[in-house]
Amino acid sequence: MAERISEAEHAVMEVLWDQAPLTAQDVAERVDPLRGWSATTVKTLLGRLLAKTAIAHEPDGRRYLYRPLVAREDYVAGESKRLIDRLFGGKLTPLVAHLAERDELTASDIAEIEALLKGLKP
């Protein structure tokens, strides 16, 4: 996927990652109702995602079925790397330090990080 996806497109991707293939109407029915999107809005977003090759579609009678071409895990990995590269020079430690300095880490978060680090040690 060459182009980044917008926040609105991401909401559509979450629906498709959860269940695919789906029709445009299926996606519209599954997007958070608080967004208030019409089926037309969802079709526009699907068109943008097709142009970005984030999704594919195949004919199913008079409608199309849409499915993601990029796995959610791969998308999250790429976005995480871009964030860390852009804001923290590609280093994870300054991100964790930033969160700790602002009291953004709960005791549970710290325990999870410690367990993760212990699991990484040989």
Side-chain angles (χ1 to χ4, degrees):
M1 194 173 76
E3 289 184 64
R4 293 183 65 197
I5 63 174
S6 70
E7 185 273 329
E9 293 162 349
H10 180 257
V12 170
M13 289 298 294
E14 285 292 344
V15 170
L16 292 171
W17 283 322
D18 187 48
Q19 183 181 357
L22 294 172
T23 66
Q25 186 61 41
D26 293 335
V27 174
E29 290 169 3
R30 286 170 173 79
V31 169
D32 184 353
L34 294 176
R35 291 185 177 273
W37 289 347
S38 68
T40 303
T41 299
V42 170
K43 287 178 184 178
T44 297
L45 294 168
L46 288 166
R48 290 179 187 171
L49 289 166
L50 283 166
K52 293 178 180 183
T53 64
I55 63 172
H57 69 301
E58 56 202 44
D60 181 45
R62 294 180 47 152
R63 60 189 186 170
Y64 287 99
L65 293 174
Y66 297 88
R67 63 180 171 79
L69 290 177
V70 59
R72 186 179 194 285
E73 296 77 20
D74 294 337
Y75 173 76
V76 169
E79 287 298 300
S80 298
K81 183 174 178 357
R82 274 190 278 281
L83 172 75
I84 292 168
D85 286 348
R86 190 177 77 235
L87 298 180
F88 299 99
K91 297 183 180 187
L92 185 58
T93 305
L95 168 61
V96 175
H98 171 77
L99 295 172
E101 289 167 2
R102 298 197 182 284
D103 292 327
E104 298 288 331
L105 296 176
T106 65
S108 175
D109 292 333
I110 293 168
E112 287 181 38
I113 291 169
E114 287 174 340
L116 177 65
L117 292 174
K118 284 180 186 175
L120 293 174
K121 288 185 179 181

